[in-house]
């Protein structure tokens, strides 16, 4: 979502408002920022830092500690290939390689045309369907390397 | 309240949903409408039924007919035959070994040995309807605690039950509660650890999605016993459905006066909040989890002080995991003695396991403590996929260990596993067959723990990194025999000197595989060979000329064109050019390609 600077400031202030004078808000705020823009953008973080009097370094420390937060823009579609144990023993590495080959997307990276971001994840909890991947919010199970391209073609 | 002559329960857990259970549910509703049965038959979306492999699962009551792998196109037949004409559809039923249809789920071996307590409502009720939970004796335990018992009596009852921490630690729950209850101060917290991060584990998610009120009730009972008036559920953001269900459940419970101010007119107040985790495995450790709730980096801190004395916001706090909390309501309503009658002398009650990997029936199983691994894998799980040879089972996730067929008859208890090098853990059971390389598995787990190490203490941060490098060296065929000794030394150092549970248990998969599968390590090092054929760098493919029919499929499919030859002279693999992708091996219809 592209927002003008004024709009963004307005939205960020709305996100911060319930947390003024309360503790424990940093992670929910970062989650909301990411929900708003798709990633944790520096200009938005500056507003949070000034308004809540939290040093930028501390916010950076928290944002980089957790796997959930991204500091750069991400693709339109997020591919999460499960690399959990159950998927691993049923061949998820080959699925991951097929996805990398099909999309040209590096692990934990984004394609240049911003079509896909690729994130291997520790477990999607759908072990009965191993190997599994999630594209946006759709789960695909019992994958084969050959079946990957047909699935990815649905996401433009 | 309208009365229905039949209920159709459709599993809407994550596993079945991924298999289009949503479309099946919608189709059921439209078909019932079309057959004018909407007033007689009710469709109930439920939580996980456990048998994820056979999803989507549909159960028709009052008969309890179990249908599996139901597709949208099967629905018209199911509605017309079973619900209109009263003739169950054999074709959609579970087929046992004899390929005869098994109509009732209780007769399916997968369910036969189970005893569902924590999972008693999962798959039976609509988790979004509090009244269905209440109808199954929900909130009876809380009413009993608030109405008839003092906080001390509640703690005594939990102590009597023998319940121990189901997150893996196995610390006696009643004793833990008594520490927090004894801490002075007007402000205390109870916390539910729903940051289920072990790869291959999904029991907590199924409880949260399938029976959220059991967790809320358990926490309210605990809060009353310990004198807390506020609680947090720390749930992984990767579990969106669980978070939605928890929010709904809390709102409903508040509306019904079962949470919030003056619960059941007893004067007891309890407010619950949900905190979404942000993706860090270490936050499953209780001090790290509390740091994360406070909005900081999730790093553990040394204990003492224990959370019972100084926890969240430096106030006395008590943390239990989802499964532990979900057991509490029934302990209160049915009594500690009832719970203690299940299981073994020191490990009471039941435990939920997530059975996955190379086993025929993957899914969630709840069994009495003391059951043997063999019973879970072969009786409940139906044995190894494709009737391959059982090799090992990884118990307890990345913190646990790999056990072999020699240990299949060990009863599973908190005490029996540590001497073997494994732990109960949160309940992941990953089954492996002869195609899985144990060195590769050890490397896989260490890759995970090394990545998830928070970096605060040196033994864990540096030790796991060095161990991983050694394992990668061995997997690529460059290992030396002294690397094995070094791995063992480093493993013991990391285990003994790390600050928190993550580091203290991270070496377990390496140490157990070294203990039980040392010959596989040695084969990698001395013979430059991976006995399971899993480590790519050590593989070589050759064509067995006697079995080859010269069809040319291998050459046609080879991505790097390294199989020269023709239909008359036959084919050979150019080992220099081969990238060991295994395409020829999988494409050959005559099994004429050998891997080794």
């Amino acid at each position: 979502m592209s927002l003008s600077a004024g709009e963004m400031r307005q939205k960020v202030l709305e996100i911060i408002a319930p947390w003024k004078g309360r503790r424990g808000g940093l992670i929910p705020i970062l989650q909301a920022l990411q929900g708003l823009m798709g990633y944790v953008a520096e200009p938005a973080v500056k507003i949070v830092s000034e308004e809540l009097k939290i040093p930028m370094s501390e916010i950076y420390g928290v944002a980089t500690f957790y796997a959930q937060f991204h500091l750069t823009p991400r693709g339109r579609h997020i591919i999460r290939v499960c690399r959990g144990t159950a998927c691993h023993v049923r061949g998820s590495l080959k699925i991951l390689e097929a996805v990398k080959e099909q999309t040209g997307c590096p692990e934990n990276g984004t394609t240049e045309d911003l079509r896909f971001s690729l994130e291997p994840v520790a477990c999607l909890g759908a072990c009965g369907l191993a190997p599994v991947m999630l594209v946006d919010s759709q789960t695909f199970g019992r994958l084969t390397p050959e079946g990957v391209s047909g699935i990815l073609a649905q996401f433009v | 309240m309208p009365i229905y002559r039949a209920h159709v329960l459709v599993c809407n857990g994550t596993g079945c949903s991924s298999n289009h259970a949503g479309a099946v549910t919608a189709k059921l509703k439209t078909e019932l409408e079309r057959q004018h049965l909407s007033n007689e038959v009710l469709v109930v979306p439920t939580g996980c039924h456990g048998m994820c492999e056979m999803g989507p699962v549909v159960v028709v009551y009052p008969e309890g007919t179990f249908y599996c792998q139901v597709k949208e196109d099967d629905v018209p037949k199911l509605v017309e035959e079973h619900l209109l004409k009263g003739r169950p559809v054999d074709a959609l039923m579970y087929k046992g070994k004899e390929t005869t249809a098994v109509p009732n789920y209780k007769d399916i071996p997968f369910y036969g040995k189970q005893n569902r307590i924590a999972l008693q409502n999962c798959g039976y009720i609509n988790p979004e309807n509090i009244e269905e939970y209440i109808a199954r004796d929900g909130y009876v335990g809380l009413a009993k605690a608030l109405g008839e018992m003092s906080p001390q009596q509640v703690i005594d009852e939990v102590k009597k039950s023998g319940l121990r921490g189901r997150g893996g630690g196995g610390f006696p729950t009643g004793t833990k509660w008594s520490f927090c209850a004894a801490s002075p101060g007007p402000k205390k917290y109870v916390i539910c650890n729903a940051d289920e991060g072990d790869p291959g584990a999904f029991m907590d998610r199924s409880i949260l999605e399938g029976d959220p009120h059991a967790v809320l009730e358990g926490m309210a009972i605990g809060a009353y016993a310990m004198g807390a008036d506020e609680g947090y559920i720390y749930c992984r953001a990767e579990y969106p459905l669980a978070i939605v269900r928890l929010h709904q459940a809390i709102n409903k419970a508040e509306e019904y006066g079962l949470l919030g101010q003056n619960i059941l007119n007893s004067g007891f107040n309890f407010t619950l909040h949900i905190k979404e985790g942000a993706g860090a495995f270490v936050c499953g450790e209780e001090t790290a989890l509390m740091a994360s709730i406070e909005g900081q980096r999730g790093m553990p801190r040394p204990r003492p002080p224990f959370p019972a004395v100084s926890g969240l916001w430096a106030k006395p706090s008590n943390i239990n995991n989802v499964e532990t909390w979900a057991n509490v309501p029934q302990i209160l309503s049915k009594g500690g003695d009832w719970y203690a009658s299940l299981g073994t002398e020191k490990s009471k009650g039941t435990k939920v396991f997530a059975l996955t990997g190379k086993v025929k029936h993957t899914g969630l199983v709840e069994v009495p403590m003391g059951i043997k691994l063999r019973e879970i894998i072969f009786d409940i799980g139906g044995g190894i996929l494709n009737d391959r040879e059982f090799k090992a089972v990884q118990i307890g996730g990345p913190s646990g260990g790999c056990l072999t067929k020699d240990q299949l008859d060990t009863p599973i208890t908190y005490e029996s596993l540590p001497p073997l090098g494994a732990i109960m853990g949160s309940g992941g059971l990953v089954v492996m067959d002869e195609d899985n390389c144990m060195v590769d598995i050890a490397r896989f787990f260490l890759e995970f723990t090394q990545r998830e190490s928070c970096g605060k203490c040196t033994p864990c941060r540096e030790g796991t990194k060095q161990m991983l490098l050694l394992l990668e060296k061995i997997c690529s065929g460059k290992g030396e025999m002294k690397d094995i000794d070094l791995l063992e030394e480093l493993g013991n150092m990391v285990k003994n000197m790390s600050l928190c549970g993550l580091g203290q248990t991270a070496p377990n998969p390496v140490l157990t595989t070294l203990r039980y599968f040392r010959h596989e390590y040695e084969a990698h090092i001395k013979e430059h060979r991976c006995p399971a054929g899993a480590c790519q760098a050590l593989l070589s493919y050759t064509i067995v000329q006697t079995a080859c029919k010269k069809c040319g499929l291998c050459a046609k499919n080879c991505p790097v064109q390294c199989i020269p030859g023709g239909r008359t002279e036959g084919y050979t693999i150019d080992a220099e050019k081969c990238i060991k992708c295994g395409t020829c091996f999988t494409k050959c219809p005559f099994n004429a390609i050998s891997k080794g």
Side-chain angles (χ1 to χ4, degrees), chain B residues 99-233:
Chain B
T99 66
T100 45
V102 184
N104 197 298
Y105 79 92
K106 284 184 183 139
D107 300 322
I108 297 172
F110 182 80
Y111 291 104
K113 286 206 170 182
Q114 294 198 44
N115 185 353
R116 294 162 86 97
I117 294 171
L119 297 178
Q120 71 153 358
N121 290 327
C122 287
Y124 293 92
I125 62 166
N126 178 351
E128 300 188 2
N129 187 340
I130 188 172
E131 291 184 356
E132 293 196 12
Y133 178 71
I134 293 172
R136 298 260 298 172
D137 287 341
Y139 290 105
V140 167
L142 177 64
K144 194 172 162 187
L146 297 182
E148 301 167 17
M149 298 166 83
S150 69
Q152 186 56 46
Q153 282 172 320
V154 174
I155 291 175
D156 290 342
E157 202 63 36
V158 175
K159 276 187 181 167
K160 205 195 286 176
S161 75
L163 178 66
R164 295 169 65 172
R166 293 290 189 253
F171 194 81
T173 306
T175 310
K176 193 170 180 177
W177 287 14
S178 66
F179 293 152
C180 184
S183 289
K187 187 73 193 174
K188 292 177 190 175
Y189 294 98
V190 291
I191 299 167
C192 173
N193 182 350
D195 191 44
E196 184 173 57
D198 278 8
F202 51 102
M203 37 269 153
D204 290 350
R205 177 169 73 184
S206 291
I207 294 173
L208 295 170
E209 288 178 3
D211 196 15
H213 285 286
V215 180
L216 308 192
E217 187 185 352
M219 291 184 77
I221 293 168
Y224 171 70
M226 288 174 266
D229 66 350
E230 211 174 340
Y232 283 91
I233 301 176

Side-chain angles (χ1 to χ4, degrees), chain B residues 352-387:
Chain B
V352 185
F353 290 99
L355 184 61
T356 60
K358 301 278 187 71
V359 63
K360 277 185 189 150
H361 300 317
T362 56
L364 273 195
V365 301
E366 183 169 355
V367 287
M369 293 275 191
I371 195 170
K372 292 170 180 154
L373 279 167
R374 185 186 301 280
E375 293 175 86
I376 298 184
I377 297 168
F378 289 90
D379 298 345
I380 297 174
I384 308 303
L385 205 61
N386 303 324
D387 292 312

Side-chain angles (χ1 to χ4, degrees), chain A residues 18-19 22-31 66 68, chain B residues 189-196 208 219 230-239 242-244 246-247 250 272-279 283 288-296 312-313:
Chain A
W19 293 102
R22 273 175 73 199
R23 299 173 297 183
L26 186 51
I27 292 171
I29 287 171
L30 290 175
Q31 284 168 334
Y66 293 99
Q68 193 190 28
Chain B
Y189 294 98
V190 291
I191 299 167
C192 173
N193 182 350
D195 191 44
E196 184 173 57
L208 295 170
M219 291 184 77
E230 211 174 340
Y232 283 91
I233 301 176
Y234 186 88
C235 185
R236 291 182 83 191
E238 289 90 335
Y239 288 178
I243 291 170
V244 169
L246 281 170
H247 277 293
I250 290 174
L272 252 179
H273 313 278
I274 297 170
K275 277 275 173 178
E276 280 183 44
C283 288
L289 187 151
M290 289 186 299
S292 184
I293 292 180
E294 291 172 4
Q296 305 161 17
L312 185 62
W313 317 117

Side-chain angles (χ1 to χ4, degrees), chain B residues 507-543:
Chain B
N508 282 350
V510 180
L511 295 173
T512 50
T513 48
L514 273 173
R515 183 162 154 192
Y516 300 118
F517 297 95
R518 186 177 280 261
H519 54 277
E520 289 199 17
Y521 283 82
E522 290 176 355
H524 282 74
I525 295 170
K526 287 184 185 162
E527 302 163 33
H528 301 286
R529 188 174 66 85
C530 173
C535 293
Q536 263 194 10
L538 297 177
L539 284 184
S540 66
Y541 290 91
T542 44
I543 294 174

Side-chain angles (χ1 to χ4, degrees), chain A residues 29-95:
Chain A
I29 287 171
L30 290 175
Q31 284 168 334
L33 287 184
Q34 187 154 293
L36 179 69
M37 284 172 285
Y39 72 109
V40 178
E42 194 176 327
V45 174
K46 278 204 173 117
I47 302 171
V48 176
S49 170
E50 284 157 15
E51 291 291 321
L52 295 183
K53 308 275 180 286
I54 304 174
M56 284 290 274
S57 59
E58 192 180 324
I59 301 180
Y60 182 80
V62 170
T64 51
F65 183 83
Y66 293 99
Q68 193 190 28
F69 299 121
H70 304 272
L71 305 183
T72 49
R74 298 162 82 211
R76 291 191 295 283
H77 304 291
I78 314 293
I79 308 169
R80 295 189 174 91
V81 178
C82 182
R83 290 288 290 128
T85 327
C87 286
H88 177 73
V89 300
R90 288 198 186 181
S92 66
L93 189 61
K94 290 215 161 123
I95 306 297

